[in-house]
């Protein structure tokens, strides 16, 4: 089946980190690789650059279109894009997935959209494509929210969460034509890597733990090292909780160095209390990249403030983490 996977142009980038993080659509690349493995023909288009929707719809002639909606700020653009897709192809099956769609699908429950993806796209999209190709109803596919004459309803949930090593590495080749446009802060071109998914903490403002039901899944060391080796010199690791398991983290750093994988620049995201309690990890990782930045969540300068957002860590840990990071020549973002 021909499938078009679309990264929309969010339009308004005045909020958030959009202008500084113009990154590859990694989630769509994972979905595309899973679709290829199932025998389908996906094409990824990034509408932030180059040709527009009409060109790609005419060129690829998809039977299934998937749109990613990663952030709540993108709802309006996704609704508009879905309406355009429907106008161009009244019969195409239109699926919307991504973090925002799964966490809060309500704004996307419109006539133009057939279904919303509520779980891992690498599992749901191939199952949906198989069902459509076989003429089965999408109601038979788990983890969807489908449009019916009575409104949107959920199909049955998926069972166990899939082990990340069963998810093939992303189809980066499908976005190579955009590679020189992707940048992160001052580094260009840039690559995104995911080594783990989810978070067991419970910060009140965060939807990551809620979507993942406080689970935390990790790729094996060998798969992570292969992915690092396949990527270019500037890398953003999208994990929300880098360095969560010290033994695995140490093993990855050592395996990267053994293989001679060294980056010009790395950016990772972690918690202050995690870093404050594992200074040896900072030392182990530091020479994996020439320049190395850590993106910390520093939500409050008081213990009361941190308690108010259920951070489950004291300000003392924030101070210690920054001191340690600076002492080991990390940049703090
Ligand atoms: S530690 Fe980070 S990812 Fe985890 S719940 Fe808190 S803000 Fe979210």
């Amino acid at each position: 089946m021909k499938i078009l996977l679309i990264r929309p142009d969010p339009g308004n980038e005045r909020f958030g980190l959009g202008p500084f993080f113009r990154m590859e659509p990694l989630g769509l690349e994972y979905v595309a690789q899973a679709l290829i493995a199932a025998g389908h023909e996906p094409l990824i288009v990034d509408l932030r650059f180059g040709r527009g929707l009409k060109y790609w719809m005419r060129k690829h002639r998809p039977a299934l279109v998937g749109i990613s909606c990663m952030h709540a700020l993108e709802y309006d653009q996704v609704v508009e894009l879905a309406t355009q897709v429907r106008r161009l192809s009244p019969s195409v099956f239109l699926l919307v997935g991504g973090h925002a769609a799964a966490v809060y699908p309500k704004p996307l429950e419109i006539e133009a959209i057939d279904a919303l993806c509520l779980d891992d796209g690498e599992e749901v999209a191939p199952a949906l494509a198989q069902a459509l190709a076989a003429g089965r109803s999408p109601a038979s596919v788990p983890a969807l929210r489908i449009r019916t004459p009575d409104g949107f309803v959920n199909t049955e949930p998926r069972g166990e969460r899939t082990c990340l090593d069963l998810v093939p590495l992303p189809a980066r080749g499908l976005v190579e034509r955009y590679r020189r446009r992707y940048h992160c802060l001052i580094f260009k071109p840039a690559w995104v890597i995911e080594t783990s998914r989810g978070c067991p903490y419970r910060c009140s403002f965060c939807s990551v733990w809620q979507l993942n039901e406080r689970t935390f899944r990790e790729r094996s060391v060998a798969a992570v090292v292969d992915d690092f080796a396949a990527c270019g010199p500037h890398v953003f690791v999208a994990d929300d909780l880098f360095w969560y398991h010290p033994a695995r983290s140490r093993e990855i750093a050592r395996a990267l160095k053994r293989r001679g994988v060294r980056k010009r620049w790395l950016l990772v995201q972690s918690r202050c209390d995690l870093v404050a309690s594992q200074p040896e990890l900072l030392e182990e990782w530091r020479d994996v990249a020439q320049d190395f930045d850590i993106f910390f969540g520093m939500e409050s300068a008081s213990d009361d403030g941190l308690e108010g957002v259920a951070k489950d860590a004291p300000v003392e840990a924030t101070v210690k983490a920054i001191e340690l990071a600076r002492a080991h020549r990390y940049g703090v973002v």
Side-chain angles (χ1 to χ4, degrees), residues 199-203 205-209 240-241 271 299 311:
C199 178
Y201 291 90
R202 52 165 201 137
C203 305
F205 54 86
C206 178
S207 54
V208 171
W209 64 269
D240 289 289
L241 203 52
R271 280 176 60 101
E299 288 78 16
K311 192 74 192 184

Side-chain angles (χ1 to χ4, degrees), residues 145-157:
R145 185 160 176 78
I146 52 171
R147 184 165 48 76
T148 73
D150 301 321
F152 277 76
V153 295
N154 288 3
T155 61
E156 65 178 38

Side-chain angles (χ1 to χ4, degrees), residues 49-111:
F49 317 109
R51 294 179 186 272
L53 176 70
K54 203 184 278 183
Y55 172 85
W56 292 112
M57 288 290 287
R58 285 209 180 119
K59 185 175 167 69
H60 198 55
R61 300 197 171 281
L64 169 61
V65 168
I67 301 176
S68 74
C69 182
M70 296 304 294
H71 200 285
L73 291 171
E74 296 173 4
Y75 285 133
D76 290 349
Q77 278 72 29
V78 170
V79 164
E80 199 182 312
L81 181 61
T83 307
Q84 285 172 23
V85 170
R86 180 59 66 221
R87 215 176 290 134
L88 289 167
S89 179
S91 63
V92 77
F93 192 95
L94 182 40
L95 173 72
V96 177
H99 187 88
V103 170
Y104 187 60
K106 189 77 186 158
L108 301 169
E109 294 179 1
I110 60 167
E111 191 62 29

Side-chain angles (χ1 to χ4, degrees), residues 11 17 50 62 106 120 123 129 137 163 185 192 210 220 260-261 281 300 325:
L17 295 168
K106 189 77 186 158
D120 290 343
E123 298 287 339
S137 163
C163 163
L185 301 178
V192 187
Q210 297 177 56
S220 66
V261 177
L281 277 182
S300 175

Side-chain angles (χ1 to χ4, degrees), residues 114-133:
D114 293 302
L116 299 154
C117 177
L118 304 179
D119 208 322
D120 290 343
E122 307 92 340
E123 298 287 339
V124 178
L128 174 63
Q130 298 302 82
L132 296 176

